């Protein structure tokens, strides 16, 4: 589990939405660890909850496949590459500079377009098999484009659930559903996870105020930011910047430099916390970086553990199953909207990226592994950058 997610952590460029495409390619299309509908159900749940959606989804897949240790191994494997790169940057190294570096970055963005396009096509065939769900998906596209960011995503999922309950009770004549999945988390463990989440939210500020330890103050700031993020990724940045403990320890120019570097590394955007933790302590403290990294991810993972067993039971109720069908269709629409903006607008910036995206999509349609498309896309972009074509 660790090795599989480490590979994804090293090659999943393109941001949180693109990660979902990499996950679908790896776990649904290639390894067949779970079916299309189960993948979409977990994705809809992770989109609905606060926290880093792609990391929560990876944790959930690891949890269902190999229990608690599998979930932790999945999170570690997916997070470590970006966290280490952000630590390297905090130590003074630069990433993706010069013509070759800029070309490689452009190639990676173009590959992300192909990955998401392939995911949208594959999910649409399974999750929007009738006109009703096609309509829900198109409505979700409109909502996501007219109302960008987390509010639009949340609204689209809620509208999809409501329309699913109203229109999709019979399943639309679709084929067999995925078999019921035993809850990998007991009800007792779920309640304990929720208690730990709310307990830490209440206790950390008190401990930070009483002890006046900078490390506890940073842990409190990162934990609170991670608990309040809807939409994940870029949404966490203003929350982190607004925390007094972080603002006091990290200069504005350091914050912006780290944010720019975070765009160029694979894996979850939340790994930006490792950079902030390192620069918050003179000399780039690894302990501070690790504390910040764990604190910002932990709330979303605890919340997922607390909700997952109830979600598994809820999905078996007929009206809830209909709502899930609508939510799945809305997820297809959200990915399609993201394919246009920001993935497409950021990735297809000229003839060379368009060629790389088309070639990458052809590789994926021929069932080549996603990492091969990533490597070839980066190499093609770097060559174009060296020749001055990007």
């Amino acid at each position: 589990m660790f090795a599989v997610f480490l590979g994804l952590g090293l090659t999943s460029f393109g941001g949180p939405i693109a990660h979902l495409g990499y996950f679908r390619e790896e776990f649904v299309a290639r390894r067949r660890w779970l079916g299309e509908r189960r993948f979409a159900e977990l994705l809809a749940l992770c989109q609905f909850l606060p926290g880093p959606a792609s990391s929560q989804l990876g944790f959930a897949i690891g949890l269902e496949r190999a229990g608690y240790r599998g979930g932790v191994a999945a999170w570690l494997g997916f997070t470590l590459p970006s966290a280490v790169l952000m630590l390297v940057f905090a130590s003074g190294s630069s990433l993706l500079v010069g013509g070759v570096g800029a070309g490689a970055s452009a190639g990676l963005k173009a590959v992300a377009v192909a990955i998401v396009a392939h995911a949208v096509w594959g999910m649409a065939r399974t999750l929007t098999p009738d006109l009703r769900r096609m309509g829900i998906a198109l409505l979700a596209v409109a909502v996501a484009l007219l109302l960008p960011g987390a509010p639009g995503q949340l609204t689209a999922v809620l509208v999809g659930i409501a329309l699913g309950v109203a229109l999709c009770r019979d399943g639309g004549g679709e084929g067999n559903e995925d078999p019921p999945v035993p809850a990998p988390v007991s009800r007792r463990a779920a309640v304990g996870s929720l208690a730990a989440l709310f307990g830490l939210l209440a206790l950390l500020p008190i401990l930070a105020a009483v002890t006046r330890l900078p490390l506890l103050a940073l842990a409190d700031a990162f934990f609170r930011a991670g608990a309040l993020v809807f939409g994940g990724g870029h949404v966490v940045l203003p929350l982190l910047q607004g925390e007094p403990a972080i603002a006091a320890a990290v200069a504005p120019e350091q914050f912006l430099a780290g944010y720019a570097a975070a765009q160029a590394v694979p894996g979850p955007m939340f790994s930006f916390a490792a950079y902030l933790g390192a620069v918050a302590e003179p000399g780039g403290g690894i302990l501070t970086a690790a504390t910040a990294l764990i604190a910002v991810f932990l709330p979303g993972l605890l919340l997922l553990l607390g909700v997952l067993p109830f979600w598994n039971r809820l999905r078996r109720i007929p009206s809830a199953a209909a709502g899930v069908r609508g939510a799945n269709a809305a997820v297809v629409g959200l990915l399609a909207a993201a394919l246009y903006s920001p993935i497409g607008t950021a990735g297809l910036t000229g003839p060379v990226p368009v060629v790389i995206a088309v070639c990458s999509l052809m590789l994926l349609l021929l069932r080549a592994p996603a990492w091969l498309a990533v490597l070839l896309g980066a190499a093609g972009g770097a060559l174009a950058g060296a020749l001055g074509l990007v």
Side-chain angles (χ1 to χ4, degrees):
M1 188 65 65
F2 177 81
V4 169
F5 274 92
L6 182 66
L8 286 168
L10 288 166
T11 58
S12 293
F13 291 88
I17 299 296
H19 298 164
L20 307 179
Y22 285 93
F23 282 9
R24 181 200 166 272
E25 178 66 26
E26 183 71 24
F27 301 118
V28 178
R30 183 165 173 262
R31 295 183 181 272
R32 301 187 185 278
W33 281 4
L34 66 169
E36 196 80 81
R37 293 185 181 88
R38 182 57 178 167
F39 177 83
E41 288 171 11
L42 291 174
L43 173 55
L45 175 61
C46 295
Q47 291 275 17
F48 191 76
L49 296 175
S54 60
S55 294
Q56 287 171 311
L57 179 61
F59 181 81
I61 292 171
L63 190 69
E64 289 204 347
R65 183 74 179 177
Y68 293 109
R69 290 183 298 174
V72 173
W75 176 78
L76 279 174
F78 188 56
T79 307
L80 276 179
S82 55
V84 170
L85 287 172
M86 293 308 298
L87 277 173
V88 169
F89 183 78
S91 299
S93 298
S94 58
L95 300 170
L96 296 181
V97 295
V100 173
S105 179
L108 292 170
K109 292 177 182 177
V111 173
V113 175
I115 294 283
V116 176
H118 190 243
V120 170
W121 172 248
M123 293 178 72
R125 287 187 300 170
T126 302
L127 303 177
T128 58
D130 51 63
L131 290 176
R132 288 170 291 180
R133 278 177 279 183
M134 288 180 188
I136 292 173
L138 290 174
L139 182 59
V141 171
V143 170
L145 292 178
L146 293 173
L147 191 61
Q153 294 175 2
L154 189 59
T155 301
V157 171
L158 289 174
V159 170
I161 291 171
L163 291 177
V165 171
L167 302 175
C168 303
R169 287 181 175 271
D170 61 354
E174 64 191 14
N176 294 330
E177 296 279 354
D178 290 344
V181 179
V185 182
S186 68
R187 184 171 297 203
R188 178 178 296 180
V191 172
S193 297
L194 293 176
L197 171 63
F198 292 110
L200 286 170
L201 280 173
L203 189 60
L204 280 175
I206 298 172
L207 289 175
V210 170
T211 63
R212 298 185 180 276
L213 292 175
L215 189 64
L216 272 178
L218 284 174
D220 172 44
F222 282 101
F223 191 86
R224 183 165 47 252
L228 297 177
V229 172
F230 281 92
H234 300 277
V235 183
V236 77
L237 299 174
L239 290 174
L240 291 173
Q241 198 168 24
E243 285 288 344
I246 298 174
V250 182
E253 59 271 18
Q254 290 177 310
F255 191 97
L256 292 176
Y259 172 64
Q263 314 303 307
V265 301
M269 179 68 71
F270 272 44
S271 296
F272 178 48
Y275 166 86
L276 293 177
V279 299
E281 180 180 300
I286 294 179
L287 175 62
T288 313
T291 300
L293 188 71
I294 293 171
V296 80
F297 276 101
L298 188 57
L301 301 184
L302 286 174
L303 185 59
L304 179 65
L305 287 171
V307 171
L308 196 55
F310 304 105
W311 175 263
N312 275 338
R313 291 177 174 86
L314 184 65
R315 67 192 283 262
R316 298 188 180 101
I317 301 171
S319 59
V324 168
R325 293 186 189 106
N328 291 347
V331 165
V332 175
L334 289 177
L335 284 176
L339 177 61
Y340 169 71
S341 177
I343 300 293
T345 54
L348 302 180
T349 55
V352 171
V354 169
V355 171
I356 292 174
V358 171
C359 293
S360 299
L361 183 58
M362 291 176 63
L363 281 173
L364 294 173
L365 291 173
L366 293 172
R367 305 196 65 80
W371 60 263
L372 180 60
V374 169
L375 291 179
L376 292 177
L383 178 60
L387 296 175
L389 300 177
V390 175

